[in-house]
Structure formats: structure tokens, C-alpha cells
Amino acid sequence: MRFRSLLPAIVAASCLAHSAQAQEVLPGLYFSYADWELACDNTGTCRAVGYQRSADAAPVSVLLTRRAGPGQPVSGQLLLGERVDAAARLPPVLALTLRIDGRDAGSVMAGRSKVALPPKVLGALLAALPGTASIAWTAGTQRWQLSGEGAAAVLLKMDDFQRRIGTRGALLKPGTRSEAQVLPATPVPVVNAARWVSTTPPDAHWVQAQAAPLRQALRTSLGEQDYCPVLDDAAAAPLTVRRLDAQRLLVSARCWAGAYNVGDGYWVVDAAPPFHPVLVTTSGSEADEPAIVASHKERGLGDCRASDAWTWNDAAFIHTSSATSGMCRMVAAGGAWNLPRIVSDVRPAR
């Protein structure tokens, strides 16, 4: 089962759409339709990705990237996957021909690695995607069929996010307007990471004495979409407490477990009652100074993942990254791409 499908049943907020009460940067956009998906990050850069139509087809994926701002071009990359039942691995390099409705539309040297699409090939691909043309990459008798289903919706959503609809630079629904008023690129936000203090954390006697009121305080911090039922069971959810500074603690507890993922809750609390807990996430994987990280498989095969990170800046945990590796289409182990919604320039703690 995919992680995106699993979480609604066991935790209403996923890593890609979570409602942490800690301070976080403005998120971007995620959208999918049929065999295409789109991720736009907080700088305005958008990445559209398409795949093969059927799980039985030879896996293939194309990534189209466009930055925000006037006059920005679209760049493209191609990645071929290998069928599980293939008799031999793909060669390091092979000559691929792009065929649109059976006609030669250009060639590219590809293989096991991602490869940039040359302008001629990229132009032909962009022209074909919004329609119903057959799009395939071929090498001798081998064929990788790229689905166009969903491409028009995704490219239109990209234009809409970047405010290009009706401009001369729009991929769908172009017009005569200039791109002077399109979405400007936003600089990558800078986050200065801070160290956690090295003083001794509260001892076991303090944790035991404060467990009941602390657990009650943590429960009150949960919103409607935050899932951590084990807070009601002291035996099932032992609390881990470490110190952030002289006044604040980081408390964690196992909130949920699935077939191949687990989610830990993390809270920043005052070091004394009434604690005033601030929830960071209920889907954490580990806390490794200065960040809390969430990394999850989106299905058991491991061909797609979702990840998030929250970085301590001496005042709060900032949501500094959020990304998916793309749809679960057996294109590559661990996922084909990095499709972020949140990016940050995290400066190391001094």
C-alpha cells in the first residue's frame, strides 16, 4: 500500500500536507492527474513529471522544470526504467529516438542515468503532450511508451501557478500578453540552524512524575488532522525527553505504526507546567540535531518516498524541506526524482 493511501486511514495529515503548529515557510503546490503530477516549490519553480500508462509497460519518466519569472525556459530530463523481468540490464548508453505518432521527432543518447533533452526533442515533446498523440522512445525493438494522459491538466496547472495563462510564454492557453506580470521568483529562504544544548536532560524521576500532566498537555495540542491515539495509553507511548535549551524541552512519542512506516510525534514544551506544547509533527522518523526528519516509503516496493525536515533555529522548528520522489511507477529504486514543495538554504550551526 502506498504511503499516501495509508495515512488517511491512520493519520489524517501526511508529510506532504501536514498542519504543524511550529513556524514554517510558505508551502508550494502538489497536483496530480492520471499519469502526470506537478510539484511547485516556495521559490516558484515548478516540476511536471509524466510516466508510462500501465504498470505492465516498460517504465519511463520525463521531468519538465521551469523557474518562476519572465522569459524562463522549460528544461527536460528523461529517465528509463528497467522491467523486473528484463533479461539484461540497460546498457550504459543507447541511442533513443523520440517517435510521435510513429514519426521520428529527434534523438537522444540515454541509458541507465537521467539525461537532458536537447532543444529539438524537448520542443517536439512539449508540442505533442497536450493532445492525444502517441509518444514513445525507441531503440531497436525496445520501446518505452510515455503517457500523455493528464499532461494537459498538469501543464495548465503549472501555467496557472506561475501566472502565465494568456501570456506569450504559456504552455497551454497562450495569449498576446507579455510575461511582465508573471509570478516572480522568490529567493530560497535562509534558515540558520541552532544547536541543542548539551546539558543533562530531565532525569527519569522527573519524567515519571510529570508524565501524566505532560501527556494531557500534548493531547490538547493535537488538531483535527493530527493523529496520535497512543497518547491515551501510557504503556504504549513512553515519552522521550531531551533538552533544547534552559527553558525548553523536546518531547517525542510513537504516534502510529503501519506496515512499513512509523510516525513519531515531536513537541517543543516549556520545562515546567503547564508546558505550553507546540506540535512539530506526528509523522517524524528521527531527531538528529539540529533537525527532525520524516522519511517514509509510499509503498512497500520502495520505488517512491516522501520526506520532510524541520530545523531548529533557537526559537522554533522551521519546516525547511518537503518533497516526494514522484509516483510509484517502478522507474527507479527509491524514486525517480526529487519534487520539492519546500526548499531552504539551511546554514550549519556555529
Side-chain angles (χ1 to χ4, degrees), residues 209-257:
Q210 299 296 331
L214 181 54
R215 194 179 301 275
Q216 175 59 32
L218 299 182
R219 283 197 293 268
T220 65
S221 73
L222 298 177
E224 292 183 0
Q225 293 185 323
D226 301 312
Y227 187 85
C228 196
V230 291
L231 283 179
D232 296 325
D233 184 350
L239 301 180
T240 299
V241 182
R242 68 197 80 182
R243 191 174 294 281
L244 291 170
D245 57 30
Q247 292 78 38
R248 288 167 295 186
L249 308 172
L250 179 63
V251 178
S252 60
R254 176 61 45 84
C255 281
W256 55 266

Coordinates of all heavy atoms in Angstrom, one line a residue, residues 209-257:
A209 N 7.4 11.7 37.1 CA 6.5 12.5 37.9 C 5.6 13.4 37.1 O 4.4 13.7 37.4 CB 7.3 13.3 38.9
Q210 N 6.1 13.8 35.9 CA 5.4 14.8 35.1 C 4.7 14.1 33.9 O 4.0 14.8 33.2 CB 6.4 15.8 34.5 CG 7.1 16.6 35.6 CD 6.2 17.5 36.4 OE1 5.1 17.9 35.9 NE2 6.5 17.8 37.6
A211 N 4.8 12.8 33.8 CA 4.2 12.1 32.6 C 2.7 12.4 32.4 O 2.3 12.7 31.3 CB 4.5 10.6 32.7
A212 N 2.0 12.3 33.5 CA 0.5 12.4 33.3 C 0.1 13.8 32.9 O -0.6 14.0 31.9 CB -0.2 12.0 34.6
P213 N 0.5 14.9 33.6 CA 0.2 16.2 33.1 C 0.8 16.6 31.8 O 0.2 17.3 31.0 CB 0.7 17.1 34.2 CG 1.7 16.4 35.0 CD 1.3 14.9 34.9
L214 N 2.0 16.1 31.5 CA 2.6 16.3 30.2 C 1.9 15.7 29.1 O 1.6 16.3 28.0 CB 4.1 15.9 30.3 CG 4.9 16.1 29.0 CD1 4.9 17.5 28.6 CD2 6.4 15.6 29.2
R215 N 1.5 14.4 29.3 CA 0.7 13.7 28.3 C -0.6 14.4 28.0 O -1.0 14.5 26.9 CB 0.5 12.3 28.8 CG 0.0 11.3 27.7 CD -0.1 9.9 28.3 NE 1.1 9.4 28.9 CZ 2.0 8.8 28.2 NH1 1.9 8.6 26.9 NH2 3.2 8.4 28.7
Q216 N -1.3 14.9 29.1 CA -2.5 15.6 28.9 C -2.3 16.9 28.1 O -3.1 17.2 27.2 CB -3.1 15.9 30.2 CG -4.4 16.8 30.2 CD -5.5 16.1 29.3 OE1 -5.6 14.9 29.3 NE2 -6.3 17.0 28.6
A217 N -1.2 17.6 28.4 CA -0.9 18.8 27.6 C -0.6 18.5 26.2 O -1.1 19.2 25.3 CB 0.3 19.5 28.3
L218 N 0.1 17.4 25.9 CA 0.3 17.0 24.5 C -0.9 16.7 23.8 O -1.1 17.1 22.6 CB 1.3 15.8 24.4 CG 2.7 16.0 25.1 CD1 3.5 14.7 24.9 CD2 3.4 17.2 24.5
R219 N -1.9 16.1 24.4 CA -3.2 15.8 23.8 C -3.9 17.0 23.4 O -4.5 17.1 22.3 CB -4.0 14.9 24.7 CG -3.7 13.5 24.8 CD -4.8 12.6 25.4 NE -5.0 13.0 26.8 CZ -4.4 12.3 27.8 NH1 -3.6 11.3 27.6 NH2 -4.7 12.7 29.0
T220 N -3.8 18.1 24.2 CA -4.6 19.3 23.9 C -3.9 20.0 22.7 O -4.6 20.9 22.1 CB -4.6 20.3 25.1 OG1 -3.2 20.7 25.4 CG2 -5.2 19.6 26.3
S221 N -2.7 19.7 22.3 CA -2.1 20.4 21.2 C -2.4 19.8 19.9 O -2.1 20.4 18.8 CB -0.5 20.3 21.4 OG -0.1 19.0 21.1
L222 N -3.1 18.7 19.9 CA -3.4 18.0 18.6 C -4.6 18.6 17.9 O -5.6 18.9 18.6 CB -3.7 16.5 18.8 CG -2.6 15.7 19.4 CD1 -3.1 14.2 19.7 CD2 -1.4 15.7 18.5
G223 N -4.5 18.9 16.6 CA -5.6 19.4 15.9 C -6.4 18.3 15.3 O -6.1 17.1 15.5
E224 N -7.5 18.6 14.5 CA -8.3 17.6 14.0 C -7.6 16.6 13.0 O -8.0 15.5 12.9 CB -9.5 18.2 13.3 CG -10.5 18.9 14.2 CD -11.6 19.5 13.4 OE1 -11.7 19.4 12.2 OE2 -12.5 20.1 14.1
Q225 N -6.6 17.1 12.4 CA -5.8 16.3 11.4 C -4.6 15.6 12.0 O -3.9 14.9 11.2 CB -5.5 17.1 10.2 CG -6.7 17.6 9.4 CD -6.2 18.4 8.1 OE1 -5.2 19.1 8.1 NE2 -6.9 18.1 7.1
D226 N -4.3 15.8 13.2 CA -3.2 15.2 13.9 C -3.5 13.9 14.6 O -4.5 13.9 15.4 CB -2.5 16.2 14.9 CG -2.1 17.5 14.2 OD1 -1.5 17.4 13.1 OD2 -2.5 18.6 14.7
Y227 N -2.8 12.9 14.3 CA -3.2 11.5 14.7 C -2.1 11.0 15.7 O -1.0 10.7 15.3 CB -3.3 10.6 13.5 CG -3.9 9.2 13.8 CD1 -5.2 9.0 13.9 CD2 -3.0 8.1 14.0 CE1 -5.7 7.7 14.1 CE2 -3.5 6.9 14.3 CZ -4.9 6.7 14.3 OH -5.4 5.4 14.6
C228 N -2.5 10.8 17.0 CA -1.6 10.2 17.9 C -2.4 9.6 19.1 O -2.3 10.0 20.2 CB -0.6 11.3 18.5 SG 0.8 10.6 19.3
P229 N -3.2 8.6 18.8 CA -4.0 8.0 19.8 C -3.3 7.3 20.9 O -3.9 7.2 22.0 CB -4.9 7.0 19.0 CG -4.0 6.6 17.9 CD -3.3 7.8 17.5
V230 N -2.0 6.9 20.7 CA -1.3 6.2 21.8 C -1.0 7.2 22.9 O -0.5 6.7 24.0 CB 0.0 5.6 21.3 CG1 -0.3 4.4 20.3 CG2 0.8 6.6 20.5
L231 N -1.2 8.5 22.8 CA -1.0 9.4 23.9 C -2.0 9.0 25.1 O -1.8 9.4 26.2 CB -1.2 10.8 23.5 CG -0.1 11.5 22.8 CD1 -0.5 12.9 22.4 CD2 1.2 11.5 23.6
D232 N -3.1 8.3 24.7 CA -4.0 7.9 25.8 C -3.6 6.7 26.5 O -4.2 6.3 27.5 CB -5.4 7.6 25.1 CG -6.0 8.9 24.5 OD1 -5.8 10.0 25.0 OD2 -6.6 8.7 23.4
D233 N -2.5 6.1 26.1 CA -2.1 4.8 26.7 C -0.6 5.0 27.1 O 0.3 4.9 26.3 CB -2.2 3.7 25.7 CG -1.8 2.3 26.3 OD1 -1.3 2.3 27.5 OD2 -2.1 1.3 25.7
A234 N -0.4 5.2 28.4 CA 1.0 5.4 28.9 C 1.9 4.3 28.6 O 3.1 4.5 28.3 CB 1.0 5.7 30.4
A235 N 1.4 3.1 28.6 CA 2.3 1.9 28.4 C 2.7 1.8 26.9 O 3.8 1.4 26.6 CB 1.6 0.6 28.8
A236 N 1.8 2.2 26.0 CA 2.1 2.1 24.6 C 2.9 3.2 24.1 O 3.5 3.1 23.0 CB 0.7 2.1 23.8
A237 N 3.0 4.4 24.8 CA 3.7 5.5 24.3 C 4.6 6.1 25.3 O 4.3 7.2 25.8 CB 2.7 6.6 23.7
P238 N 5.7 5.5 25.7 CA 6.6 6.1 26.6 C 7.1 7.4 26.0 O 7.4 7.5 24.8 CB 7.7 5.1 26.8 CG 7.6 4.2 25.5 CD 6.2 4.2 25.2
L239 N 7.3 8.4 26.8 CA 7.8 9.7 26.4 C 9.3 9.8 26.4 O 9.9 9.3 27.4 CB 7.2 10.8 27.2 CG 5.7 10.9 27.3 CD1 5.3 12.1 28.2 CD2 5.1 11.1 25.9
T240 N 9.9 10.3 25.4 CA 11.3 10.6 25.4 C 11.5 12.1 25.5 O 10.9 12.9 24.8 CB 12.0 10.1 24.1 OG1 11.8 8.7 24.0 CG2 13.5 10.4 24.1
V241 N 12.3 12.5 26.4 CA 12.5 14.0 26.7 C 14.0 14.3 26.6 O 14.8 13.7 27.2 CB 12.0 14.4 28.1 CG1 12.1 15.9 28.3 CG2 10.5 13.9 28.2
R242 N 14.3 15.4 25.8 CA 15.6 15.9 25.7 C 15.6 17.4 25.8 O 14.5 18.0 25.5 CB 16.3 15.4 24.4 CG 15.8 16.0 23.2 CD 16.2 15.1 22.0 NE 15.4 13.9 21.8 CZ 15.6 13.0 20.9 NH1 16.6 13.1 20.1 NH2 14.8 12.0 20.9
R243 N 16.7 18.0 26.1 CA 16.7 19.5 26.3 C 17.1 20.2 25.0 O 18.1 19.8 24.4 CB 17.6 19.8 27.5 CG 17.5 21.3 28.0 CD 18.3 21.5 29.2 NE 17.9 20.7 30.3 CZ 16.8 21.1 31.1 NH1 16.1 22.2 30.8 NH2 16.5 20.3 32.1
L244 N 16.3 21.3 24.7 CA 16.7 22.2 23.7 C 17.5 23.4 24.2 O 18.5 23.8 23.6 CB 15.5 22.7 22.9 CG 14.7 21.6 22.1 CD1 13.3 22.2 21.7 CD2 15.5 21.2 20.9
D245 N 17.1 23.9 25.3 CA 17.8 25.0 26.0 C 17.4 25.0 27.4 O 16.7 24.1 27.9 CB 17.6 26.4 25.3 CG 16.2 26.8 25.2 OD1 15.3 26.4 26.1 OD2 15.8 27.5 24.2
A246 N 17.7 26.0 28.2 CA 17.4 26.0 29.6 C 16.0 26.1 29.9 O 15.5 25.6 31.0 CB 18.1 27.2 30.3
Q247 N 15.1 26.6 29.0 CA 13.7 26.8 29.2 C 12.8 25.8 28.5 O 11.7 25.6 28.8 CB 13.3 28.2 28.9 CG 13.8 29.3 29.8 CD 15.2 29.6 29.5 OE1 15.6 29.7 28.4 NE2 16.0 29.9 30.6
R248 N 13.4 25.1 27.4 CA 12.5 24.3 26.5 C 13.1 22.9 26.3 O 14.3 22.7 26.3 CB 12.4 25.0 25.2 CG 11.5 26.3 25.3 CD 11.6 27.1 24.0 NE 12.9 27.7 23.9 CZ 13.3 28.5 22.9 NH1 12.4 28.9 22.0 NH2 14.5 29.0 22.8
L249 N 12.1 22.0 26.2 CA 12.4 20.6 26.0 C 11.8 20.1 24.7 O 10.8 20.7 24.2 CB 11.8 19.8 27.2 CG 12.2 20.2 28.6 CD1 11.4 19.4 29.6 CD2 13.7 20.1 28.8
L250 N 12.4 19.1 24.2 CA 11.8 18.4 23.0 C 11.3 17.0 23.5 O 12.0 16.2 24.0 CB 12.9 18.2 21.9 CG 12.4 17.4 20.7 CD1 11.3 18.2 19.9 CD2 13.6 17.1 19.7
V251 N 10.0 16.8 23.3 CA 9.3 15.6 23.8 C 8.9 14.8 22.6 O 8.4 15.4 21.6 CB 8.1 15.9 24.7 CG1 7.4 14.6 25.1 CG2 8.5 16.7 25.9
S252 N 9.1 13.5 22.6 CA 8.7 12.7 21.5 C 8.0 11.4 22.0 O 8.2 11.0 23.1 CB 9.9 12.3 20.6 OG 10.8 11.6 21.3
A253 N 7.1 10.8 21.1 CA 6.4 9.6 21.4 C 6.0 8.9 20.1 O 5.7 9.6 19.1 CB 5.2 9.9 22.3
R254 N 6.0 7.6 20.1 CA 5.5 6.9 18.9 C 4.0 7.1 18.8 O 3.2 6.8 19.7 CB 5.8 5.4 19.1 CG 5.3 4.5 18.0 CD 5.9 4.9 16.6 NE 7.3 5.1 16.6 CZ 8.2 4.1 16.5 NH1 7.9 2.9 16.4 NH2 9.5 4.5 16.5
C255 N 3.6 7.7 17.7 CA 2.2 8.0 17.4 C 1.4 7.0 16.7 O 0.3 6.7 16.9 CB 2.0 9.4 16.7 SG 2.2 10.8 17.8
W256 N 2.1 6.4 15.7 CA 1.4 5.4 14.8 C 2.4 4.5 14.2 O 3.6 4.8 14.1 CB 0.5 6.0 13.8 CG 1.2 7.0 12.9 CD1 1.2 8.4 13.1 CD2 1.9 6.8 11.7 NE1 1.9 9.0 12.0 CE2 2.3 8.0 11.2 CE3 2.2 5.6 11.0 CZ2 3.1 8.1 10.0 CZ3 2.9 5.7 9.8 CH2 3.4 6.9 9.3
A257 N 1.9 3.3 13.7 CA 2.8 2.4 13.0 C 1.9 1.7 11.9 O 0.8 1.3 12.2 CB 3.4 1.3 14.0

